[in-house]
Amino acid sequence: MKLIFNNFGNTTLRVSDFSYKIENIMRVYGDLVTNNPDLEWKSSSDDEIKDPDYVPNNLQYKFYNALVKNELMKSKSVNMRISDKEKNARQKSAPLEDIGLIDRKSGKILGPGRELLSLLNNGGEKGLIKNEFIPIDNLSLWWLKRLYNEKKSKLNVKTRTLENYIKFFKSFDGSLNDDQFWLLPLYESTSQEVFISNLNDIKVTGRWNILRNIVSECVEDDENFEALGNKKGKKNIPDVKIFRDYCLKVYDSKQTYEGFISLIEHLNHEGKPYIRETFLKPIVSFGRSNLRFIEKNYKKLYSLINGFIKENGIKDDKMFFIFIKTFYAYGTLNDYVDLNTRYLKLTNCFKFIREKISFINGFDLIVSHPKKDFLKKFIVDNDSFEPDSLNNLIKDPFIKKSLKEKNVSSIQDLSDKYKQDQIEIVKKLLKTKFTVDVIIDKILPLFKDHQNPKNIKTLRTLITKHAKVPAMFEYVIALVWCHVDNNPSHLINSARLFKDSDYLPVSHATGGSGNADFIAEYDDHLLHIEPTLTRGNVQKENEHEPITRHFGHNLMKVEDSKKREKSYCIFVAPYLGSNMLVDIRNAKTSPWYDTNDEKKFDGLNFLPLDIDDFINILQSKKDYKFLYNEFMKLINSDHAISRDGKMWYESEVKSTINNL
């Protein structure tokens, strides 16, 4: 057999904010082809590009410019060649075509692409609707369908990658550890029986040894063992040959410490990190060593690296060939486990908890069904995105029996069980990963300088690497309110941002007439929370209209005038702009009209807070009832100074919050 990798997606769109990017790239493409129905997806010819006055009028070029305008691609240079711009457009659009959303040649949006855009319209309202049988939202359900249809198995065209992955999950009772999940892309590189055996042994035997054995079985005796290049080309072959000679001497016990230093000096002197990054550093990690090359503890490195080489028996060109091909496969699997995680998280049908990946409740019933193609027939081929679209499955004999064993006999029972499961997940997050102390000391302060690369890296370590910073900010503000109100359900019901099955953030809440980022309904009032990371004059320009629109539209739905008067909106930012403070304070005395120019009520209650205020609120440990009374006193203040939003915040709001 040959070494075959089966994975989801491709590396041209492997970004930390994956879902946000691909959904917004689709939006941009949709607007472009709608507004330019007669343009073709063609590349500029060499003769056209040679004309100094030539400006392309094709979809590729316009798509590139639209991506840059929407901050979905950075323009590396104003003098970038037209051909490079069009190449970037092709790279960014390729994943959309790979998963069947668009046909670039015809300039069309295909059925699944139209489905996605419909789920994202109106602030993503339809995409947020939850299915009652599987506790995932419509956007996640859409991703599940696309993932299923994305790619067929490379050897067996009758099966698909997701089907095969599920098969191996089921072989281990629906759960794989992180080592097993890492190895999954190689399931067609050996027989199914041997692969299951490898999955069973990998935690004990280790990734390297299992992978080396698979690679060894895939190497034929007639291989060209002098072909030492990899997918990046042949430029590194001279250095690879130097490394080969070094390894052969280690096997023959002819390699000296001086030879090791010579190898390191050569690599450093030539400025070639390839051997160090591709081979030597992984060897150190395999040895579970804390050594780092920067420390230049070369004697320990020499012993560790030479011992590893000798263990692998690098006695000839064939053994060295297997050796380096194992490293290449190792790096490739690291890339693919990252991609697979990103894609499977989009479906929200898999839980990624503590080095363990498993099916969520509900989805486990579907994939374990004894009927062949049950997933395809009842989920993938079901075109409906209504909440009850899968409810009839509860009548299926197998599912009915399985649920009965869990004391579930109705959709309401199932819904109650899911809600309790979700609450338990959030409770655990609040007690472990996101405690009050962690939020106060380690997380919230980082948002004050949220564009600092070091802070971004730390936030991704503390929260998730699968979301943008604005989504993480919305998420943390929701966590704060869970603590303040002692109510974990706020993260489930009140926070509108997209969350994965582990209740970690995926992408931020999108706009719409009444779509605030956080909406909590109490018996006698409504609470909106609108977080933003903007500052200065941009804060007023970008935020004032949306937050007043969101709050005003939702208040119009409140029929009880007393409840409306007691409702309020917290506007929170790292730093509050002076003009923004003035505008939202003025909203207190401004009338609100509907679309028919009919006056509905007077005044919108806003309370502006910055990050330090939120920290002080958490530190105060005051309950929400007390805080609400204090907040309403501030909002209803009739002091002369309170008419100036900036003065009101600085003299009254800040002082009150500081002295809670």
Side-chain angles (χ1 to χ4, degrees):
M1 287 188 172
K2 293 289 185 182
L3 205 61
I4 298 172
F5 296 89
N6 286 282
N7 61 284
F8 303 113
N10 61 64
T11 54
T12 62
L13 196 63
R14 186 181 62 195
V15 289
S16 60
D17 44 334
F18 178 80
S19 62
Y20 170 85
K21 281 285 181 70
I22 201 164
E23 289 156 19
N24 281 279
I25 288 172
M26 186 62 209
R27 276 197 187 100
V28 170
Y29 184 88
D31 290 342
L32 184 67
V33 298
T34 301
N35 296 327
N36 299 274
D38 298 325
L39 289 188
E40 296 180 55
W41 183 271
K42 65 174 185 177
S43 303
S44 300
S45 68
D46 292 339
D47 289 337
E48 288 174 325
I49 292 174
K50 288 177 183 177
D51 183 350
D53 297 323
Y54 172 68
V55 177
N57 189 30
N58 60 52
L59 285 175
Q60 283 187 41
Y61 189 76
K62 288 183 177 293
F63 185 52
Y64 168 82
N65 289 329
L67 289 171
V68 172
K69 181 180 179 181
N70 285 273
E71 298 181 351
L72 293 166
M73 177 180 283
K74 291 184 179 180
S75 178
K76 296 178 180 178
S77 169
V78 292
N79 298 318
M80 182 186 290
R81 295 181 301 177
I82 290 172
S83 59
D84 288 334
K85 292 181 178 180
E86 292 177 349
K87 179 182 177 182
N88 285 342
R90 292 194 296 273
Q91 288 178 336
K92 286 295 184 185
S93 59
L96 303 183
E97 192 164 66
D98 286 346
I99 56 178
L101 307 188
I102 64 174
D103 181 349
R104 291 179 292 183
K105 188 175 181 180
S106 65
K108 290 183 178 179
I109 301 173
L110 303 179
R114 291 193 295 272
E115 274 187 346
L116 175 59
L117 291 176
S118 73
L119 294 175
L120 298 173
N121 284 341
N122 299 319
E125 185 174 344
K126 188 176 179 182
L128 281 167
I129 294 173
K130 291 263 181 127
N131 191 275
E132 293 173 354
F133 186 80
I134 312 178
I136 61 175
D137 56 47
N138 278 340
L139 192 58
S140 301
L141 183 59
W142 181 89
W143 273 112
L144 175 63
K145 295 178 181 182
R146 296 303 349 121
L147 204 61
Y148 180 90
N149 287 318
E150 180 198 351
K151 190 182 294 182
K152 291 182 179 180
S153 168
K154 292 182 179 178
L155 285 184
N156 187 348
V157 296
K158 293 183 180 180
T159 63
R160 298 176 181 273
T161 302
L162 182 59
E163 285 180 318
N164 281 287
Y165 275 31
I166 288 172
K167 176 176 64 180
F168 292 112
F169 270 95
K170 288 167 63 178
S171 297
F172 290 87
D173 296 323
S175 177
L176 297 177
N177 61 47
D178 57 343
D179 289 318
Q180 293 168 327
F181 184 68
W182 175 83
L183 194 65
L184 270 187
L186 287 178
Y187 68 82
E188 283 189 321
S189 295
T190 185
S191 69
Q192 180 174 321
E193 182 181 357
V194 171
F195 189 71
I196 289 177
S197 177
N198 286 329
L199 289 176
N200 192 56
D201 296 341
I202 190 169
K203 197 70 178 180
V204 176
T205 307
R207 293 184 178 185
W208 171 264
N209 290 324
I210 291 291
L211 183 57
R212 183 192 57 192
N213 292 339
I214 293 175
V215 173
S216 299
E217 292 297 319
C218 293
V219 169
E220 304 289 343
D221 288 335
D222 60 354
E223 292 271 8
N224 177 10
F225 301 130
E226 282 290 319
L228 302 179
N230 68 346
K231 61 185 177 181
K232 295 183 179 178
K234 299 181 179 180
K235 65 179 182 179
N236 296 307
I237 287 181
D239 283 335
V240 175
K241 287 183 175 180
I242 290 174
F243 184 53
R244 177 193 61 188
D245 294 341
Y246 180 88
C247 290
L248 294 175
K249 286 185 178 180
V250 170
Y251 181 81
D252 292 332
S253 300
K254 295 179 180 179
Q255 190 56 262
T256 64
Y257 175 67
E258 287 72 20
F260 176 73
I261 295 299
S262 177
L263 174 70
I264 298 298
E265 287 180 348
H266 166 75
L267 297 176
N268 288 340
H269 176 71
E270 297 294 334
K272 298 177 179 179
Y274 179 74
I275 298 297
R276 182 176 64 248
E277 299 297 323
T278 308
F279 306 117
L280 301 185
K281 281 191 174 181
I283 289 174
V284 174
S285 68
F286 295 150
R288 302 187 184 279
S289 170
N290 293 324
L291 289 173
R292 294 183 300 166
F293 277 83
I294 195 171
E295 294 170 348
K296 297 185 179 180
N297 193 340
Y298 289 146
K299 286 192 176 181
K300 287 186 178 180
L301 288 171
Y302 168 70
S303 175
L304 183 65
I305 289 169
N306 282 17
F308 186 83
I309 292 170
K310 202 151 192 173
E311 286 174 10
N312 281 269
I314 315 302
K315 61 181 179 181
D316 53 32
D317 284 347
K318 179 178 179 179
M319 295 304 297
F320 181 74
F321 182 86
I322 293 171
F323 191 54
I324 64 166
K325 291 301 177 184
T326 305
F327 277 109
Y328 295 154
Y330 181 84
T332 301
L333 285 174
N334 285 342
D335 284 341
Y336 289 163
V337 74
D338 179 64
L339 277 171
N340 287 340
T341 299
R342 295 177 193 276
Y343 271 82
L344 290 182
K345 273 183 169 287
L346 291 173
T347 71
N348 274 329
C349 289
F350 295 81
K351 295 182 289 187
F352 290 75
I353 300 176
R354 293 187 178 180
E355 302 179 346
K356 180 180 176 181
I357 304 94
S358 57
F359 303 129
I360 65 165
N361 290 331
F363 188 62
D364 60 342
L365 295 173
I366 290 169
V367 297
S368 60
H369 200 285
K371 286 184 180 178
K372 188 178 180 181
D373 295 332
F374 189 83
L375 172 63
K376 181 179 187 302
K377 182 177 179 181
F378 292 98
I379 308 299
V380 177
D381 293 344
N382 188 327
D383 296 330
S384 175
F385 284 97
E386 296 302 317
D388 61 354
S389 62
L390 304 177
N391 285 4
N392 63 309
L393 295 182
I394 201 168
K395 299 176 183 178
D396 176 90
F398 171 79
I399 291 176
K400 187 176 182 179
K401 180 182 177 182
S402 300
L403 289 176
K404 188 177 180 180
E405 293 172 357
K406 301 177 182 179
N407 297 318
V408 173
S409 59
S410 68
I411 288 295
Q412 186 59 53
D413 290 344
L414 196 60
S415 177
D416 292 342
K417 185 179 186 308
Y418 289 156
K419 286 178 182 177
Q420 191 55 46
D421 290 343
Q422 292 162 354
I423 287 173
E424 291 304 316
I425 291 173
V426 177
K427 279 183 177 179
K428 193 168 185 179
L429 286 173
L430 294 170
K431 289 179 180 179
T432 56
K433 188 177 177 76
F434 301 115
T435 64
V436 169
D437 289 341
V438 168
I439 293 174
I440 288 174
D441 299 331
K442 296 183 179 180
I443 296 180
L444 274 177
L446 296 175
F447 288 108
K448 293 182 182 181
D449 188 10
H450 66 274
Q451 294 179 327
N452 183 320
K454 184 178 178 181
N455 287 356
I456 294 173
K457 183 177 180 180
T458 305
L459 284 169
R460 285 176 174 161
T461 300
L462 293 170
I463 303 173
T464 178
K465 63 180 180 179
H466 300 292
K468 287 175 70 72
V469 175
M472 287 192 271
F473 187 51
E474 288 184 20
Y475 180 77
V476 172
I477 294 303
L479 291 175
V480 170
W481 220 251
C482 289
H483 282 298
V484 166
D485 207 13
N486 194 26
N487 185 356
S489 66
H490 278 314
L491 190 62
I492 300 167
N493 302 320
S494 305
R496 288 189 59 258
L497 80 162
F498 291 94
K499 302 166 283 284
D500 63 22
S501 56
D502 303 321
Y503 269 84
L504 296 175
V506 176
S507 62
H508 65 285
T510 48
S513 60
N515 292 323
D517 297 334
F518 181 103
I519 307 173
E521 185 158 2
Y522 296 86
D523 291 338
D524 62 344
H525 71 277
L526 193 69
L527 166 63
H528 277 210
I529 303 180
E530 295 277 12
T532 182
L533 292 173
T534 58
R535 61 180 69 192
N537 289 331
V538 177
Q539 192 175 90
K540 175 185 174 180
E541 293 169 8
N542 291 356
E543 306 297 338
H544 179 253
E545 190 279 331
I547 68 167
T548 53
R549 170 166 45 86
H550 295 164
F551 192 35
H553 276 279
N554 275 335
L555 283 186
M556 283 198 298
K557 301 174 187 177
V558 179
E559 296 181 0
D560 185 340
S561 60
K562 290 185 178 180
K563 183 174 181 177
R564 206 163 46 225
E565 290 172 5
K566 292 181 178 181
S567 299
Y568 71 112
C569 175
I570 294 175
F571 175 74
V572 57
Y575 301 96
L576 298 165
S578 298
N579 288 322
M580 184 66 177
L581 290 169
V582 170
D583 277 5
I584 61 176
R585 186 56 179 166
N586 288 343
K588 171 68 178 169
T589 55
S590 299
W592 183 264
Y593 291 84
D594 64 14
T595 53
N596 296 319
D597 292 333
E598 180 183 347
K599 183 178 176 181
K600 304 300 293 186
F601 51 83
D602 285 308
L604 297 174
N605 296 329
F606 281 99
L607 179 69
L609 300 172
D610 64 17
I611 285 178
D612 288 332
D613 296 329
F614 259 66
I615 289 174
N616 285 332
I617 287 170
L618 269 181
Q619 286 176 328
S620 75
K621 298 182 180 179
K622 296 290 194 298
D623 63 34
Y624 179 62
K625 183 177 181 180
F626 174 86
L627 291 171
Y628 173 73
N629 289 331
E630 293 299 306
F631 293 163
M632 293 310 293
K633 288 177 187 176
L634 290 169
I635 290 169
N636 294 319
S637 171
D638 59 0
H639 295 157
I641 200 171
S642 70
R643 297 169 190 168
D644 181 323
K646 183 175 185 298
M647 299 299 293
W648 166 67
Y649 172 74
E650 291 176 349
S651 63
E652 294 190 52
V653 177
K654 199 73 174 171
S655 175
T656 298
I657 300 300
N658 286 344
N659 291 284
L660 286 173

